[in-house]
Each structure stands twice: as structure tokens, then as C-alpha cells.
Amino acid sequence: MRSKKPYVKIIGFILISFVFNCQPKSSSSSHSLPVIKDSINLLYGIIGDTGTILNKKYFIINHNNEWKIPYWVAYKLDSIDLKGEIRRQGRFRPDPDLPVGYRAELKDYESSGYDRGHMAPAADFKRSKEALTTTFLLSNMCPQTSELNRKIWQKLESEVRKKVKTDGKAWIITGNIFMSPDSNFINPNEFIGINNVAVPTHCFKVILSCRSDSIFTMYAFLIPNQNTPILGKTCNYLLSVDRLEKITGYDFFPLLDDSIEFQLERNTPTNWGQ
């Protein structure tokens, strides 16, 4: 298990292609959280051992009940899933699987100045009305600035879908962290609403993509959640998975064969968005 606090800068990026049988190694793990039975969304393992696990069928949420936002949300996405044509619809609502006082409520976001930012984006789940509307649970949200949510984050989500359409399938993990300007771990210093919903300083996304010929690629992104313009393209916010693991304390895709995992985590991509 990696350290739970970040100690490194957030510049850098990663990619290597690797041929490998798309089957996980043994499910035995040092993580204390139970493996979610039969969940294809966590085929390559649970990435952290803190939080309340919520199995939403289409995605898995690891929820921080104190800060009322996800640590992370994980799901598998197939190219066939993206052929759905259900129009965006859904009612933002608190998650009934979390008790009052341990979850965000609609009033927390009202007049807060922050968007309800999806971790598992609605556009990835247009395969059915049930899948789409499930993404509107507040347990799948964090407070995001409009500068992040409506611009570069939306662009990144679109590019992930394009990648899945090209490669065939991917496992995607999206989450939130709290960092100081000098890249040190901090506790939340901004909250919204009566329930004190924490506002993350950064949002991250990790993608493990697998082509039909069993070639894996791995990408990681870390983007600031700020009100001022977020400059550059999504590729400017790539960093190595190894570095993101040091920042977050997570071990991404721990059931991927170690020799493959370590190679994927350490190398550098040059072709995102091409």
C-alpha cells in the first residue's frame, strides 16, 4: 500500500503499450476492503482501503462520509456501451444508500458557486435510462468550478470516450484530492452547504485501456479545480501513474500482473488526443 499523503510535484506523464492477457492475477490482496463480488468494474482490484463502498451496478463509488464526496469512482467502459442513444436526463438527488448527515444534499450546492461535477459522467452511460439516471446521485459528485467542469474536464471526458471507441474497452477511475500550491497533502480548507461538502483542490482520472489484441495502455491526469482559467490542453495535465499513486496513496489496478503494471506506470505517453 502506498503512503496516504502526497509528497511530489504534479508534472509529468505516462504511456506504454504492452501485450498481455486481459485477465487479472489472483484476487488475494492486502487491501482491507472486500472485493466487490462479480463486479467487472473492479476487475483489476480495489485501489484504496478507506471509505464506504457503494456498488451502483454500473460503477463503484468509494465515498468519504466525512467530506461527502467520493474518494474515487471506478467503472469499466466498452465501446458498445457508447452506442446508446438515451438523451441526457436525470434528477440530481441525494444517495439513499447513505444516511442523512453522511451525504451531500441538494441544498448544499444551491448558490454555492460550484457545479455538481460528475465523477462517472452521464455521457458514458447512455446505454439505458437506469444507467444514465444513476449518475445523477450526489454521491457521484464533487463541487467543481465552472472553469473545470464545463471546459477542460468535459473535454477530457470526451477524449476518454473517443479512446474507448478506438481501443474497445477501458477501466476508468476518477477521484478527488487536496493539495497545497507546493504539492503537499492538506486537509480540505473550503466547504459548501450546511453539510460541509468538501471542495477538492484537484480532480484526477486514470485510464487502463485494452485493445482487442490485448495491448494495454495506461494514462493519468491531474487537473486543478480552480476559478481562474485552466490553460492548455488535456495532454498538458498528464502525469505518470506512479507519481499519481505517490500523491494519492492509492495503488491503481493492483491485480494487474506486477511486471506489466510496473512498466505501464513508469513510462511516458506522447500520443494522447491524437
Side-chain angles (χ1 to χ4, degrees):
M1 178 62 63
R2 270 66 169 177
S3 168
K4 288 298 175 185
K5 295 185 180 181
Y7 297 100
V8 298
K9 300 297 180 181
I10 61 172
I11 301 172
F13 52 103
I14 176 171
L15 166 69
I16 187 171
S17 296
F18 216 103
V19 180
F20 184 63
N21 190 319
C22 293
Q23 294 296 324
K25 64 188 177 187
S26 171
S27 61
S28 61
S29 173
S30 62
H31 299 296
S32 61
L33 287 174
V35 173
I36 305 301
K37 185 178 180 181
D38 300 327
S39 177
I40 192 66
N41 296 308
L42 289 175
L43 179 66
Y44 293 104
I46 291 174
I47 68 168
D49 60 357
T50 303
T52 298
I53 293 291
L54 303 169
N55 189 345
K56 297 303 178 184
K57 181 179 176 181
Y58 303 101
F59 49 89
I60 306 294
I61 299 171
N62 186 9
H63 191 262
N64 185 318
N65 293 351
E66 179 182 0
W67 296 343
K68 286 86 174 180
I69 62 173
Y71 284 107
W72 50 262
V73 176
Y75 60 97
K76 181 190 178 190
L77 189 62
D78 286 290
S79 57
I80 193 171
D81 296 329
L82 297 173
K83 295 181 179 180
E85 297 182 353
I86 302 297
R87 296 180 60 185
R88 181 183 170 98
Q89 57 183 293
R91 177 177 56 85
F92 289 102
R93 60 201 188 280
D95 192 327
D97 291 335
L98 293 168
V100 174
Y102 294 87
R103 69 189 190 192
E105 306 287 348
L106 291 172
K107 287 186 178 180
D108 292 322
Y109 282 88
E110 290 178 3
S111 303
S112 69
Y114 286 93
D115 292 353
R116 292 164 291 203
H118 285 71
M119 299 285 95
D124 287 8
F125 296 88
K126 295 163 66 175
R127 68 200 77 162
S128 72
K129 181 178 179 180
E130 179 185 58
L132 182 62
T133 58
T134 300
T135 69
F136 285 85
L137 291 168
L138 292 182
S139 57
N140 182 44
M141 309 285 163
C142 77
Q144 287 185 336
T145 66
S146 59
E147 183 67 29
L148 175 63
N149 184 47
R150 306 179 197 184
K151 295 181 181 179
I152 196 168
W153 193 254
Q154 186 179 79
K155 176 66 172 174
L156 176 58
E157 291 173 340
S158 177
E159 290 173 350
V160 171
R161 287 189 288 275
K162 181 179 178 181
K163 181 67 174 173
V164 172
K165 288 178 181 178
T166 299
D167 286 3
K169 59 185 171 184
W171 286 264
I172 301 162
I173 302 169
T174 304
N176 305 290
I177 63 171
F178 301 86
M179 289 175 54
S180 66
D182 58 356
S183 302
N184 289 312
F185 173 84
I186 59 173
N187 286 317
N189 56 24
E190 185 175 2
F191 300 86
I192 62 171
I194 192 171
N195 290 291
N196 292 318
V197 179
V199 179
T201 63
H202 297 74
C203 296
F204 70 81
K205 193 179 292 289
V206 184
I207 304 104
L208 175 66
S209 182
C210 185
R211 293 182 356 193
S212 59
D213 55 3
S214 296
I215 293 181
F216 277 119
T217 54
M218 193 182 286
Y219 305 84
F221 298 84
L222 183 60
I223 306 180
N225 186 27
Q226 63 189 40
N227 285 300
T228 53
I230 301 173
L231 304 177
K233 300 179 180 179
T234 57
C235 61
N236 299 127
Y237 297 89
L238 280 159
L239 71 165
S240 74
V241 173
D242 184 63
R243 184 163 293 186
L244 186 61
E245 287 182 334
K246 292 176 182 177
I247 291 172
T248 62
Y250 299 139
D251 184 4
F252 296 105
F253 311 114
L255 298 187
L256 195 62
D257 182 87
D258 285 344
S259 62
I260 308 302
E261 180 187 3
F262 296 154
Q263 289 294 325
L264 289 170
E265 290 177 349
R266 282 189 290 220
N267 288 275
T268 304
T270 58
N271 66 343
W272 181 262
Q274 296 182 4

